[in-house]
Amino acid sequence: MIELPTCPDFRVDGKRALVTGGSSGIGLAAATALGRAGAHVTLAARRSAELGNACAALRDSQISCDFVVLDVTQSADVDAAIANALPYDILVNNAGMNRPVPLIEQNDDEIDQVFEVNVKAAFYTSRAVARRLLAANRPGSIINISSQMGHVGSPGRVLYCASKHAMEGMTKALAWELGAKNIRVNSICPTFIETPMTAAMFDKPGFRQWVCERIALGRLGRVDEVMGAVVFLASSASSLMTGSALMLDGGWTAA
Ligand code: NDP
């Protein structure tokens, strides 16, 4: 009798997941996906009312959930929040922002803010989560919500592209630092998805058409289309994958 290989498990039962920016958009979708796949999820963001509402909705859906009010750009607060909790097996670095204007119009505050949230915060959370996992000798999965803009350039997005390219570099290098301890680090790179972050962009006449013409599928992405990738990267189904980027870009970067 031929012995068939065992199919990988997409469940994450018994795992603990921290999702930054988990109260909205892609982060809430990631938290929902991980919760439905069996994980306990902790949402982290700044606005407590939004966190409470998101957590209540997850619990209504029989998902084990809590939340922490946390500005992920504050290194000491990140360290304290993660040190005071049980170790997280899964970290989704999702909190992010964009200030899309041409570089010649970009001010210093915007440059600082985008790098604080999109780059430095992911360093702080990854460092704190990895420290706990290494101390407990546990495997883990760090998932960076990057962007197709971590792989290409685009007008009005010099700052955002630079921040997401930095996240891609961090993903690759950290995968090497943590790989021997079975802590994997990967990124997810979505195309444009309608969320609070992109709402103002799509209010601009012609922008939606400009975007859709650059997506092979001819349409924007949806938050639910990120959920499968999150579960895949969090679970043992992706056990051989680290330092990689999953493109969820509808074909944008295949042009
Ligand atoms: P949203 O604006 O819907 O959500 C952003 C989340 O991040 C909110 O929960 C917000 O909560 C939280 N957040 C922002 N700043 C901080 C902070 N300093 N500390 C803690 N939490 C913070 O954004 P999206 O869902 O659209 O984007 C999520 C990620 O996906 C981002 O990294 C973005 O770059 C990336 N992405 C988005 C795409 C899109 O088209 N939407 C495409 C590709 C990538 P609060 O304000 O309460 O802190």
Side-chain angles (χ1 to χ4, degrees):
M1 195 70 150
I2 298 173
E3 194 179 328
L4 296 173
T6 308
C7 191
D9 192 354
F10 285 79
R11 298 287 307 171
V12 286
D13 296 297
K15 304 281 187 196
R16 289 169 46 77
L18 175 63
V19 182
T20 71
S23 56
S24 171
I26 292 171
L28 181 54
T32 306
L34 291 169
R36 293 230 167 97
H40 169 86
V41 289
T42 300
L43 314 177
R46 294 165 301 179
R47 289 168 299 166
S48 62
E50 280 74 1
L51 282 166
N53 291 339
C55 208
L58 289 166
R59 285 181 182 153
D60 269 2
S61 214
Q62 278 70 55
I63 289 169
S64 171
C65 173
D66 61 12
F67 68 84
V68 55
V69 177
L70 178 67
D71 181 343
V72 287
T73 66
Q74 301 305 307
S75 162
D77 295 345
V78 168
D79 282 347
I82 291 170
N84 290 336
L86 292 168
Y88 289 103
D89 311 285
I90 300 158
L91 167 65
V92 183
N93 279 316
N94 165 80
M97 62 183 287
N98 193 357
R99 290 291 177 269
V101 294
L103 182 64
I104 57 170
E105 295 167 21
Q106 202 105 55
N107 66 46
D108 290 359
D109 283 347
E110 290 171 336
I111 294 172
D112 287 341
Q113 283 166 12
V114 168
F115 267 82
E116 291 283 343
V117 184
N118 292 11
V119 183
K120 290 173 72 177
F123 283 26
Y124 301 150
T125 50
S126 301
R127 181 177 63 185
V129 166
R131 280 178 179 155
R132 295 296 306 276
L133 287 173
L134 291 171
N137 200 21
R138 282 164 74 144
S141 175
I142 297 175
I143 301 167
N144 292 323
I145 306 298
S146 173
S147 168
Q148 64 184 13
M149 298 304 178
H151 295 262
V152 294
S154 197
R157 286 179 165 68
V158 172
L159 178 56
Y160 187 74
C161 286
S163 74
K164 294 300 187 180
H165 276 70
M167 189 170 233
E168 291 297 314
M170 179 262 215
T171 301
K172 291 175 186 168
L174 191 58
W176 270 100
E177 287 195 3
L178 301 176
K181 296 292 184 185
N182 201 16
I183 301 169
R184 300 181 295 107
V185 190
N186 293 289
S187 71
I188 291 176
C189 304
T191 189
F192 285 88
I193 294 177
E194 275 181 281
T195 66
M197 191 183 88
T198 53
M201 301 177 198
F202 290 114
D203 285 345
K204 283 194 175 169
F207 187 69
R208 181 181 298 264
Q209 188 188 343
W210 185 86
V211 167
C212 290
E213 282 169 358
R214 280 157 185 80
I215 297 176
L217 295 176
R219 63 169 176 86
L220 305 179
R222 302 184 308 268
V223 290
D224 61 279
E225 292 179 303
V226 181
M227 295 166 87
V230 170
V231 172
F232 171 66
L233 289 179
S235 72
S236 60
S238 60
S239 56
L240 195 55
M241 186 165 172
T242 198
S244 280
L246 258 181
M247 306 306 298
L248 303 184
D249 65 354
W252 184 296
T253 60

